[in-house]
Amino acid sequence: MRFVKAILSLIVTIGLVYVLNNPLGPAPALGPFLSPFSGFWQNSIRSVGSNEEQVLKIPGLKDEVIVRFDDTGVPHIFAKNNSDLFFTQGYITAKDRLWQMDLQTRAASGRLSEILGKATLQMDLQSRRLGMGYGAEVNFKKAMTDPRSSEALLGYTAGVNAFIQQLEPKDYPVEFKLLGYKPEPWKPINTMYMLEQMTLTLAGRSNEVSMSEMLKKFGKSVVDQLFPDYPMLLESPIIPAGTKWDFTPLAIPDFIPASRGGDSIAYLKKPLNALSDRIPKEEGIGSNNWAIGAEKSITGYPILANDPHLELSLPSIWYQVQLHSPDFNVYGVSLPGIPGVIIGFNQNVAWGVTNVDADVFDLYKIKFKDASRSQYWYDDQWKATLKRLEIIHVKGEPEPVREEVIYTHHGPVTDSDNTSDASPNLAIRWIGHEPGNSFITFYELNKAKNYDDYRAALTHYVGPAQNFVFADNSKNIALTVNGKLPLKYKDQGKFLLDGSLKGNDWQGWIPVEQNPYVKNPARGFVSSANQSSTDTTFPYYINWSFAPSERGVRINERLEAMSKANADSLRSLQNDNFSVQARTILPKLLSILDTIPLNPAQKAAKIMLADWNFQNIPESIPASIFEEWMPALRKTIWEDELNSMDLPSRDRTMYLILKQPREKWFDNVNTPEKETIRDAVFNSYKAALDTLTSRHGAMSEAWQWSKVKATEIRHLSRSIKPFGSGRLKTGGGNSIVNAITRYNGPSWRMVVELGPTPRAYGIYPGGQSGNPGSPYYLNLLKKWENGELNELVYLTAPDQANPRLTSKITFQKK
C-alpha cells in the first residue's frame, strides 16, 4: 500500500510540475506566474513616502530632468529641453501603463492574436480590413516631416524603450505574466496607431446599410419622415441659433445619383466582414464641455469645464501629467502612448474637447471587372486597384493567416472574398486614412498664450472632428467645431453610395476658417454636448444625425441662469442628474395611463412616477421605471415594422407621441387588432415593470436606479474580473448631463478657473497606475463615484514647495 501511495504521489507531482510549467491554450504556464521571485507577487507596490528621492542615470538624455510626484501619483516633469521632456514623459508613462500601451497598440494594428490566439483573429482581421495600418503609416510619414512632432515622437519612443530595457522579467506588469509574453520595443508609429484607434472610436460609425435597406422597403418620403435631418422637437445647437455666417461659402455639390438606394438591397444579402461584427455606438459615448465668461464668474475670469464620456476601463483611458520646459508648462491628461497633453491648461489658456460626430465614414458599392479584383468600374472606365498583403501571426498556430486587402481610390474594400452582384463589395472612405498631423494641434495648444494661438493650432487638426472649447486670461471664451470636414452634397453618406460615380466622391474640404465657431457670445457662455453643430442655416453639410439634445438643453438652461459662478458651480453641473427627456414626455404618458385600468403593482409604480422630480439620483426608483420604460416604448412603436433596422431617434419618437398621436406607427402590424397610442403606452409600461420584477423582484429598494443600472468599470482585458471596480453607486444615464451608464461615463472631469494663477480641479475613475497591486490603481475611484474633484497641483519650478508633493526622481544622462 505504501508503494502504491508513493507511485500515486509521484504521478501527481509530475502532473503538477507539468501543468505549472506548460502553457494551457493562450494562458501561460502557472508556475512562473505563481513564483514568489518573478510572478505576480512581485507586482505589489507600497505607497511612496514623502521626501523620498531617487537618482537614475539613463542613456539617451541630453540633460538633467527632475520629476516631482504628488500625493495622487501624478508626475510633474521639469526638463531643460523638449526632447528630454518627451523622453521622460514616455519613460514615466510606461512605468505606470506599459501593458495598456502594448494592448491598445496591438488592438489598433491587428496584432492581438499574437498573444491571445485564435479568439481574437476576427478582431485583427477587422482592423486590417479597415485600413488601420494604412492610416497609421500615412499619418506617421506626415508627422516625421515636421521637426516638432518628429522630436516628440522620437523622444517619447526613446523614453519608453529606456524603461523597457531596464526591466527584469520579475518586474513585468502582471498582465504580461498572466498572458506569458514580454514587452516588445516601442516604435514611433505606435503613437499613430493610438490616434487611429481614437479616430475609429469617435468617427468610425456607419448606418448606411440599415438606412439603404429602409429606403428600399419604405421609399424616400417615409425615410425622410422618420429620419429627418434636424431634430423635430428639442434642439439647442452648439453654435447658438441665429448666428450669422460671415463668409462666402464654396460651391456645394448638388448631385443626387439616380441609383441611390434603388438597387441597394441587392448588396445586403451577405454579412460584411469588416462591418458586421462592429458594436453599435452607445449613446453614452459622448462628452460635455463649456466655458463661462468673466461676467458670469465670481473670479472675474472665465471658467472652463470638460468631461469626455467614453467606455470606462481600469486602468483609466487617461494619464495625468504636468510637462515643463522652456517652451511648456502644461497640465492635463494624456493618452498613454501619445506625447503631450490632450485636454488641459497652462498659465494662460485652457481647452477641452467633445466629439462632433461628423459624417466622415462613407461606404461605396464597388463593381469589379472579374474575380481577380485587379480593376473596378469608376467614371466610365476600369481603374486599377492596389493590393496590400496583411499577415497575422496567431499564437499556437504553425502558420500565419494571410489576407490580401483590396484598395480603391475610395479606400479599402471590406468584403474580401466574393464578387457576385448579389453580395456587397463595399469600400470605405474614412477620415482615418487622410494624411495629416493632428498631433501638432495639441502640441501648439500645450504652449498657447491666447485666442489667436488657439485658432492657429486648430488649423493642423484632421480628425476625428472635435468641438474645441477654449478660455484664456484675456477673458475670451470660444468654441470651434473643428476638423477636416469633407465638402459633400446634402445627405451624402446617409445611404450607400455608388462607387462608380465620380459625383459621389468627396469634393474637397470645407475651408478650415469656415468651420462653425463662436467667440464671446452675448449670452456669456459656450457649450457642447455632441448635439447638432449649428442650426439649419449653416451652408455646408456636416451630418444628418447627432447625439440626442437633452444634455445640451439642460446644460444651456443651467448656464443661462448661472451667475457669480465658481469652479464648484461647474462641478455641480457636471454631476447634474435631471432628466429633460422625462420632463418632456412623462406627463403625456401618465395622462394616457390615467385612462387605463391598472393592477395594484402598476398603480404603485404610476404613483412613484407621478411624484418623481425627474432626478436620476442613485436611490431613485421612478428613475429605474422610466429608464426601463422608454426603450421598451420605442421598440413597441417601431420594431414591428423596422425589425433589425435602425429605429427613429428619441426626439422623433417623442414628437410622434406628443404631436402625431393618430399616426399608423402605433399599430402592431404583426397582430390582427389595430393598436393605438394607448395600447403602445400600456404594453410597453407593463413590459418594463415585468422586466424589473423578473430581474429584481417586487418593487423595493432593489429597484433603486444605481442597482438597476449596475455601473461597473472593467479591467482593460474585460476578462480579469478581480482587477475591475465592482458595482458602483452612481446616478445619471445616457440622456443625462451626468452621462454614466453601465459601462460608459465621464472618463475625466476637469474644471479650470483662469486667472493670473490658474486653479484647476479634476479626476478620473481609477488612478495613475495600471498595476492592480499599486495604491495608485484605485485611489481616485471613490471621489469620482461621489462626484468630487481633486485640486490639481500646478507647479512653476522643480524646487517649489507644496505640502502635497511626496517624492522625487532626478534623471541624469548616462
Side-chain angles (χ1 to χ4, degrees):
M1 181 61 71
R2 287 180 182 177
F3 178 75
V4 172
K5 287 182 178 180
I7 291 296
L8 287 174
S9 177
L10 180 61
I11 292 172
V12 170
T13 301
I14 292 171
L16 187 58
V17 168
Y18 177 84
V19 168
L20 290 176
N21 288 280
N22 286 275
L24 302 175
L30 293 178
F33 176 67
L34 296 173
S35 166
F37 304 106
S38 62
F40 78 98
W41 306 104
Q42 292 290 322
N43 292 92
S44 178
I45 299 176
R46 62 186 178 86
S47 298
V48 178
S50 60
N51 300 318
E52 288 194 18
E53 295 191 15
Q54 282 182 285
V55 176
L56 298 178
K57 293 187 181 295
I58 305 291
L61 287 172
K62 297 178 180 179
D63 213 325
E64 182 178 85
V65 180
I66 294 174
V67 183
R68 307 293 302 275
F69 291 87
D70 65 33
D71 55 2
T72 61
V74 174
H76 305 258
I77 302 172
F78 291 83
K80 297 174 183 177
N81 59 77
N82 293 341
S83 178
D84 285 353
L85 183 70
F86 295 120
F87 179 102
T88 309
Q89 184 187 9
Y91 186 102
I92 293 293
T93 306
K95 179 175 178 289
D96 281 332
R97 301 291 188 87
L98 182 59
W99 185 74
Q100 177 184 17
M101 294 163 64
D102 180 272
L103 183 77
Q104 292 180 334
T105 302
R106 288 179 180 277
S109 59
R111 294 181 56 219
L112 287 172
S113 299
E114 293 177 13
I115 60 170
L116 297 174
K118 293 172 67 175
T120 55
L121 179 57
Q122 288 305 312
M123 294 175 61
D124 287 344
L125 286 169
Q126 174 178 304
S127 295
R128 306 296 181 98
R129 292 166 182 164
L130 287 172
M132 298 287 279
Y134 170 82
E137 288 164 13
V138 297
N139 281 281
F140 177 65
K141 184 177 180 180
K142 184 83 170 176
M144 293 305 289
T145 65
D146 189 301
R148 296 166 294 179
S149 47
S150 175
E151 179 182 53
L153 291 173
L154 294 177
Y156 192 90
T157 296
V160 174
N161 287 331
F163 174 75
I164 292 173
Q165 287 161 12
Q166 57 82 47
L167 282 179
E168 298 290 339
K170 67 181 180 62
D171 300 318
Y172 291 168
V174 66
E175 294 90 349
F176 285 102
K177 298 175 183 179
L178 277 169
L179 295 170
Y181 76 107
K182 65 181 181 179
E184 65 180 13
W186 187 260
K187 298 176 182 177
I189 196 174
N190 289 0
T191 293
M192 298 300 121
Y193 277 115
M194 300 292 290
L195 290 170
E196 283 291 297
Q197 187 66 40
M198 186 56 66
T199 303
L200 182 65
T201 299
L202 298 177
R205 183 172 60 141
S206 170
N207 55 3
E208 289 102 305
V209 172
S210 176
M211 292 302 298
S212 294
E213 187 177 353
M214 203 157 335
L215 188 65
K216 178 71 175 181
K217 181 175 180 178
F218 294 107
K220 187 176 185 301
S221 62
V222 171
V223 171
D224 289 346
Q225 178 196 130
L226 298 187
F227 297 89
D229 289 343
Y230 199 79
M232 300 176 69
L233 189 66
L234 295 175
E235 189 53 288
S236 182
I238 290 169
I239 307 303
T243 296
K244 303 300 181 186
W245 314 111
D246 58 350
F247 56 80
T248 301
L250 300 180
I252 299 167
D254 185 18
F255 183 76
I256 309 297
S259 65
R260 179 171 140 190
D263 62 349
S264 62
I265 200 69
Y267 290 81
L268 303 173
K269 295 179 180 178
K270 182 173 176 289
L272 308 178
N273 290 346
L275 300 175
S276 58
D277 296 329
R278 294 175 63 212
I279 300 172
K281 180 179 176 183
E282 187 171 339
E283 287 176 332
I285 293 186
S287 302
N288 306 319
N289 65 20
W290 58 82
I292 60 170
E295 65 272 28
K296 284 185 171 285
S297 165
I298 200 170
T299 68
Y301 285 87
I303 308 176
L304 179 144
N306 191 195
D307 54 302
H309 309 151
L310 296 165
E311 184 175 357
L312 303 176
S313 67
L314 291 172
S316 169
I317 297 162
W318 304 101
Y319 184 77
Q320 291 184 64
V321 67
Q322 181 178 358
L323 301 173
H324 188 289
S325 75
D327 291 328
F328 299 94
N329 188 13
V330 61
Y331 187 113
V333 287
S334 64
L335 289 166
I338 301 175
V341 166
I342 304 296
I343 298 170
F345 65 97
N346 61 34
Q347 61 269 44
N348 298 301
V349 311
W351 74 95
V353 296
T354 67
N355 196 35
V356 172
D357 206 7
D359 186 6
V360 290
F361 187 108
D362 288 342
L363 297 176
Y364 291 83
K365 297 178 291 184
I366 300 300
K367 178 182 178 182
F368 289 115
K369 186 174 183 179
D370 52 41
S372 71
R373 303 199 303 169
S374 297
Q375 293 178 295
Y376 66 104
W377 189 249
Y378 173 74
D379 196 24
D380 294 327
Q381 59 188 306
W382 294 109
K383 187 177 177 70
T385 61
L386 296 176
K387 298 182 179 181
R388 179 184 173 102
L389 180 63
E390 299 287 356
I391 301 174
I392 302 175
H393 296 275
V394 182
K395 183 177 181 180
E397 297 298 317
E399 295 294 331
V401 172
R402 299 172 184 270
E403 181 167 300
E404 198 172 59
V405 178
I406 305 298
Y407 280 73
T408 68
H409 77 285
H410 300 296
V413 178
T414 60
D415 180 35
S416 64
D417 61 358
N418 195 300
T419 60
S420 74
D421 290 338
S423 297
N425 287 293
L426 297 181
I428 295 173
R429 179 71 164 103
W430 177 45
I431 198 66
H433 299 150
E434 185 65 24
N437 193 3
S438 296
F439 170 78
I440 292 298
T441 291
F442 299 106
Y443 182 98
E444 292 297 327
L445 284 173
N446 282 198
K447 61 189 185 74
K449 293 180 171 60
N450 51 46
Y451 173 81
D452 290 341
D453 290 347
Y454 154 75
R455 290 287 293 173
L458 299 189
T459 63
H460 300 280
Y461 192 73
V462 176
Q466 298 289 289
N467 301 300
F468 282 82
V469 70
F470 172 83
D472 69 15
N473 281 344
S474 297
K475 302 185 180 181
N476 293 305
I477 59 172
L479 194 148
T480 304
V481 179
N482 192 61
K484 200 168 184 179
L485 302 174
L487 191 63
K488 302 167 72 172
Y489 59 77
K490 184 176 172 61
D491 287 345
Q492 183 178 349
K494 188 172 184 176
F495 309 95
L496 294 176
L497 295 165
D498 187 338
S500 71
L501 299 176
K502 190 174 183 179
N504 280 337
D505 288 359
W506 292 0
Q507 302 294 317
W509 307 95
I510 298 174
V512 64
E513 67 274 10
Q514 295 183 9
N515 284 346
Y517 76 96
V518 60
K519 178 187 179 186
N520 298 330
R523 66 185 186 178
F525 67 89
V526 295
S527 72
S528 73
N530 316 111
Q531 74 270 41
S532 298
S533 298
T534 69
D535 64 16
T536 56
T537 65
F538 187 65
Y540 297 112
Y541 173 73
I542 298 177
N543 203 348
W544 68 274
S545 175
F546 295 88
S549 61
E550 294 95 349
R551 282 185 292 119
V553 168
R554 178 61 174 171
I555 289 167
N556 290 346
E557 287 176 353
R558 287 198 56 179
L559 292 176
E560 191 74 53
M562 200 172 282
S563 64
K564 297 182 179 179
N566 60 14
D568 198 58
S569 308
L570 272 61
R571 180 204 63 81
S572 172
L573 177 50
Q574 288 178 332
N575 287 277
D576 188 284
N577 286 317
F578 185 81
S579 174
V580 169
Q581 184 187 13
R583 180 183 67 186
T584 303
I585 197 65
L586 187 58
K588 174 66 174 179
L589 299 180
L590 292 178
S591 71
I592 293 172
L593 287 184
D594 284 339
T595 69
I596 300 172
L598 303 176
N599 65 33
Q602 293 164 352
K603 288 179 181 177
K606 179 175 172 292
I607 292 170
M608 279 272 192
L609 289 169
D611 292 340
W612 184 35
N613 61 1
F614 309 138
Q615 294 283 347
N616 276 27
I617 60 174
E619 300 81 10
S620 175
I621 291 176
S624 298
I625 300 170
F626 181 79
E627 294 289 348
E628 190 68 44
W629 187 7
M630 287 306 95
L633 176 57
R634 192 172 166 204
K635 290 179 180 180
T636 298
I637 294 170
W638 303 114
E639 272 198 346
D640 57 309
E641 278 137 322
L642 303 186
N643 299 315
S644 60
M645 293 180 278
D646 286 1
L647 304 184
S649 68
R650 288 202 301 251
D651 180 88
R652 184 65 184 88
T653 303
M654 290 193 294
Y655 186 89
L656 184 79
I657 293 167
L658 294 173
K659 306 292 186 181
Q660 299 172 317
R662 291 182 174 80
E663 281 284 313
K664 67 175 184 177
W665 303 105
F666 292 108
D667 179 41
N668 185 344
V669 298
N670 297 320
T671 68
E673 297 81 17
K674 185 175 179 59
E675 287 84 5
T676 66
I677 185 174
R678 190 170 178 268
D679 299 301
V681 169
F682 174 71
N683 290 339
S684 58
Y685 177 67
K686 179 180 181 300
L689 296 181
D690 289 348
T691 297
L692 287 168
T693 301
S694 67
R695 293 176 180 171
H696 307 284
M699 188 165 62
S700 67
E701 288 186 359
W703 283 31
Q704 290 181 351
W705 178 225
S706 66
K707 297 176 181 177
V708 170
K709 180 159 64 78
T711 297
E712 64 175 303
I713 304 175
R714 298 172 293 182
H715 182 256
L716 196 58
S717 68
R718 300 289 181 269
S719 60
I720 312 176
K721 198 169 182 65
F723 291 174
S725 70
R727 293 290 172 85
L728 301 174
K729 186 177 181 180
T730 63
N734 65 17
S735 69
I736 309 296
V737 176
N738 183 24
I740 303 176
T741 63
R742 182 170 186 185
Y743 297 124
N744 295 344
S747 57
W748 164 245
R749 291 189 180 117
M750 180 185 77
V751 178
V752 182
E753 292 181 341
L754 277 298
T757 302
R759 295 189 67 182
Y761 307 83
I763 205 160
Y764 50 57
Q768 286 291 100
S769 178
N771 180 0
S774 167
Y776 299 113
Y777 182 69
L778 288 175
N779 58 311
L780 304 178
L781 180 59
K782 192 63 182 177
K783 276 193 169 184
W784 179 89
E785 183 181 10
N786 293 336
E788 302 172 38
L789 301 176
N790 283 330
E791 183 164 4
L792 306 178
V793 177
Y794 183 67
L795 305 175
T796 56
D799 56 355
Q800 182 177 337
N802 188 298
R804 290 181 54 194
L805 295 176
T806 60
S807 62
K808 174 182 176 182
I809 299 177
T810 300
F811 289 84
Q812 296 177 346
K813 61 180 181 178
K814 188 172 182 179

